[in-house]
Amino acid sequence: MLTKLICRNFKNFDEVEIELGNPVVFIGPNNSGKTTALQALALWEIGLKRWNEESRKRKTKSEKRPGVAINCRDLISVPVPSARLLWRDLQVRNVKRVEGKQRTQNVRIDIIVEGVTDGKNWQCGFEFDYANQESFYCRPLRVSEADEKGTERMLVPEEAGDLSVAFLPPMSGLASNETRLDPGAINVRIGEGRTAEVLRNLCYQVSQGPDMTTWEKLCGKITALFGVQLDKPDYIPERGEVTMNYRDESGISLDLSSSGRGLQQTLLLLAYIAAHPKSVLLIDEPDAHLEILRQRQIYQILTESATEHDSQIVAASHSEVILNEAADRDVVIAFLGKPHRIDGRGSQLLKSLRTIGFEEYYQAEQQGWVLYLEGSTDLAILRAFAEKLSHEVITVLERPYVHYIGNQPTEARKHFYGLREAKPDLVGFCLFDRISDQLQNPPELIEYAWQKREIENYIVSSKQVLIDWLYAKAEERTEGPLFLMHWVSTMEKRLRRLKKPEKPLVKSRLGYQISK
């Protein structure tokens, strides 16, 4: 079983350490790194297999051997058109000046995996060096830099070499017919995301296995989930094809291509688990194509099947249902900010995933703070105040991370602490109109409220403010000095009639006007 993943300079990861378990669920919004973590494990496994293949051929010590070359075409689980796309920010070289001389240093991708096999803990790491757009080199991770004794590198434990790791992308539909394939060809197509071409072949492998109860159990699980009966796959030698039917609730026999995408997705996962016992299964969105009730069922059935076949599941999802199912009993890693484990049901994380988009997490990470206001007019008024007062806060208000919460403190708090799942050092400032709610002031989230009912009330607290506003409007409309004097005279008469200077204003189509 794999217990930890450490990754450096891979895709959008700088340096991350991710706890694993059996099962473990990666949860988080889109574009947060869940699939990248699965691909890092897949790349590590590719490097491990290639290194062991060359070791059997050469039988030389790892520190004396050159790195094995890996071509982009070999990356069936991590498809990229150029090897450079595997490196963080596409940076494969660092150029520095040392004592007036320019020196170039390779940027390496480091992937370290820890695990336990038969009670024995082990660690296995590989580094990847960029060669060109088509290929890169892989070697065991260096423990120390080169000196007169050479470079010391991490040993590759036998326990790691015995692992079978498979990356299973979401089901992409089903081809109308399938040519019979060898196991290696099936794995290549799955790695390339061509799951539409292998489903019948996987089922054929299971049905032809030495233990028929495995196929019968698989059929029983599909019946319990979808109410259909699977027929045993047939191989037609004349055409070199594998065919497979199922019977619906009315007993009508239909080709497997007529079934729903959710059934095909579930059958793919269960058939692979049954055909490849003692494997590590990297499953991307196991809930794809399934409605809420079956999302809950599929997670339960997948974990039971993995236990039955002595396999490990590492799944990535952004389903609230999967989160709820896994939170109480399994390892859940939240991909919000730095990937981190969450304990319990993670209720705040659940709320966050419902309401907060990835771009908001990004803004929180970039700014380090968030401002909560009732609406956009409040921000415009604050900017005007700061500009009028020549206050230093004007530079901050020009490009703020602001979130409008409609004068509701509870909404601000939910949003803020959801963001804090991703950025624990985030700070916030709330500014409300006068409200009856009791304000809270923890050090990370300061809450203030205007003493007057509306922020706009402060604008008309003196006669001169209104006179200045009239002058500005007159210049905008170019009505001339005669009209301006008339407006000012009218305004002064109305102000004198007011018994209380704070008497509220009402909005009209002509702007603010004093109520009678």
Side-chain angles (χ1 to χ4, degrees), residues 169-175 195-196 199 222 226 246 256-269 285-291 294:
M171 189 68 189
S172 57
L174 190 63
T195 51
L199 180 55
I222 294 298
F226 300 99
Y246 73 97
L256 191 61
S257 59
S258 301
S259 61
R261 191 69 60 83
L263 187 152
Q264 296 169 10
Q265 164 83 3
T266 305
L267 182 57
L268 173 77
L269 299 178
E285 297 188 29
D287 50 284
H289 316 302
L290 296 172
E291 81 278 5
R294 288 197 176 96

Side-chain angles (χ1 to χ4, degrees), residues 63-274:
E63 62 268 17
K64 296 182 179 180
R65 283 176 45 202
V68 296
I70 298 178
N71 193 280
C72 282
R73 294 179 57 188
D74 298 324
L75 302 180
I76 56 178
S77 301
V78 196
V80 289
S82 169
R84 185 183 290 269
L85 294 172
L86 297 175
W87 267 256
R88 177 175 168 81
D89 297 331
L90 308 182
Q91 187 175 0
V92 297
R93 304 279 190 268
N94 270 337
V95 179
K96 296 181 180 179
R97 297 195 70 84
V98 180
E99 298 178 353
K101 295 182 180 180
Q102 182 172 293
R103 295 190 178 182
T104 302
Q105 184 178 21
N106 288 357
V107 175
R108 305 183 188 97
I109 293 174
D110 295 339
I111 301 179
I112 307 166
V113 171
E114 297 180 8
V116 57
T117 302
D118 296 330
K120 181 181 179 181
N121 295 322
W122 52 265
Q123 185 181 59
C124 180
F126 286 93
E127 63 182 31
F128 302 87
D129 262 326
Y130 179 82
N132 52 56
Q133 290 189 5
E134 298 295 328
S135 62
F136 52 93
Y137 297 104
C138 170
R139 294 187 72 180
L141 189 71
R142 64 188 63 202
V143 179
S144 65
E145 293 297 330
D147 54 23
E148 63 274 6
K149 297 181 180 179
T151 302
E152 183 182 357
R153 295 186 179 274
M154 187 178 289
L155 296 177
V156 179
E158 293 182 4
E159 292 81 3
D162 294 335
L163 283 174
S164 173
V165 180
F167 184 90
L168 298 176
M171 189 68 189
S172 57
L174 190 63
S176 57
N177 54 66
E178 281 185 36
T179 302
R180 183 179 172 183
L181 301 170
D182 292 331
I186 293 174
N187 291 336
V188 168
R189 283 165 174 75
I190 289 177
E192 293 174 342
R194 297 158 62 186
T195 51
E197 304 172 21
V198 301
L199 180 55
R200 297 179 183 89
N201 275 273
L202 283 173
C203 291
Y204 185 75
Q205 280 187 346
V206 177
S207 67
Q208 298 300 309
D211 187 1
M212 280 303 298
T213 59
T214 302
W215 171 251
E216 292 169 359
K217 288 180 180 178
L218 172 60
C219 294
K221 291 171 183 175
I222 294 298
T223 300
L225 278 169
F226 300 99
V228 303
Q229 297 286 335
L230 296 177
D231 290 337
K232 194 174 180 181
D234 289 327
Y235 172 58
I236 303 176
E238 293 80 7
R239 299 202 305 267
E241 293 180 359
V242 177
T243 63
M244 183 175 174
N245 292 346
Y246 73 97
R247 284 165 287 138
D248 64 13
E249 295 178 351
S250 302
I252 299 175
S253 182
L254 300 169
D255 185 79
L256 191 61
S257 59
S258 301
S259 61
R261 191 69 60 83
L263 187 152
Q264 296 169 10
Q265 164 83 3
T266 305
L267 182 57
L268 173 77
L269 299 178
L270 294 178
Y272 193 95
I273 292 174

Side-chain angles (χ1 to χ4, degrees), residues 371-380 402-407 411:
L371 172 64
Y372 293 97
L373 299 172
E374 179 185 7
S376 58
T377 55
D378 288 354
L379 178 61
V402 61
H403 188 71
Y404 302 120
I405 38 79
N407 215 39
E411 292 300 315

